[in-house]
Amino acid sequence: MRIMKRPNILLTGTPGVGKTTLGKELAQRTGLTFVNVGDLAQESQLFEGFDEEYQCPILDEDRVVDELEDKMGDGGVIIDYHGCDFFPERWFDIVFVLRTDNTNLYNRLESRGYIGKKLQDNVQCEIFQTIYEEAMEAYKEEVVHQLPSNTPEDLERNLEQIVQWIEQWMKDNN
Ligand code: DAT
């Protein structure tokens, strides 16, 4: 039996924009595999040192890439991470950068327990569209798409659009 080819999808954007919420639901609806890079790093201890300023471990990007390489080769993976320039470009068939309005994002991060500089820096990251620019540099312009992620209606619309895109991709590639 010939195995169906399935696309790899990157969900990126500032912390709090809704990557995990979207990614998990997308995996439920499509059967694709959801991978949260932060969780993966935690489980397999893929870190290299500790960031004193932000009080968090520093991701060992090379080991993350090694850890995921085989799975990505098989296809059908949804990756969730707040950075995107260290993944091999060839991994992804499409890249979504989720975007949230400042006040909205501020409130979400505050209820997540972020305070002070960490809270400010993350909101500023969104204002400066840092991750969008990172994505535009790391991937071909035509595979990078921004998605508004402010309301439950946005979430549902994004889900429906991506599900449709996946169905079309599978028709075109099988
Ligand atoms: P991320 O994975 O990007 O850090 P998340 O999925 O954990 O973000 O979401 C952060 C919070 O925002 C969480 O409480 C769920 C909420 N949220 C996510 N997407 C949303 C949307 N489209 N509308 C309203 N709230 C949303």
Side-chain angles (χ1 to χ4, degrees):
M1 191 189 82
R2 198 168 161 276
I3 296 169
M4 289 275 270
K5 279 179 70 181
R6 299 180 304 166
N8 288 325
I9 298 172
L10 175 60
L11 302 180
T12 190
T14 310
V17 291
K19 302 179 293 294
T20 304
T21 307
L22 176 65
K24 283 189 171 163
E25 182 59 29
L26 196 58
Q28 286 250 315
R29 293 192 190 185
T30 61
L32 267 62
T33 306
F34 174 76
V35 176
N36 177 301
V37 170
D39 290 349
L40 174 78
Q42 207 43 262
E43 284 156 20
S44 306
Q45 286 299 301
L46 308 174
F47 298 117
E48 48 167 8
F50 195 79
D51 186 325
E52 292 298 336
E53 188 180 5
Y54 289 102
Q55 289 293 303
C56 64
I58 299 164
L59 195 70
D60 188 330
E61 298 176 344
D62 292 342
R63 286 178 62 211
V64 167
V65 170
D66 286 348
E67 184 85 13
L68 285 169
E69 188 69 75
D70 289 350
K71 202 199 284 269
M72 298 308 289
D74 295 341
V77 183
I78 302 164
I79 294 284
D80 162 1
Y81 194 60
H82 57 260
C84 59
D85 60 359
F86 65 91
F87 302 119
E89 185 187 356
R90 64 185 153 76
W91 274 6
F92 298 106
D93 299 290
I94 198 159
V95 174
F96 293 106
V97 184
L98 276 64
R99 302 300 308 271
T100 301
D101 297 338
N102 314 332
T103 337
N104 224 325
L105 184 66
Y106 185 98
N107 292 334
R108 286 186 200 170
L109 292 175
E110 200 175 36
S111 38
R112 190 182 267 186
Y114 285 23
I115 50 166
K117 183 170 165 54
K118 189 173 180 180
L119 177 57
Q120 279 169 23
D121 285 358
N122 278 292
V123 173
Q124 222 169 63
C125 169
E126 184 62 8
I127 293 170
F128 291 156
Q129 23 187 52
T130 310
I131 310 290
Y132 176 62
E133 281 172 18
E134 187 178 317
M136 288 293 277
E137 279 191 19
Y139 301 91
K140 289 205 184 71
E141 216 171 288
E142 58 267 30
V143 311
V144 179
H145 303 270
Q146 299 197 75
L147 294 175
S149 180
N150 292 295
T151 63
E153 291 72 29
D154 287 342
L155 173 63
E156 188 53 40
R157 196 179 316 113
N158 294 337
L159 283 163
E160 284 167 14
Q161 279 185 11
I162 302 174
V163 167
Q164 266 194 14
W165 179 87
I166 293 169
E167 285 170 357
Q168 191 59 48
W169 189 95
M170 289 182 56
K171 277 186 201 151
D172 295 344
N173 289 273
N174 286 289

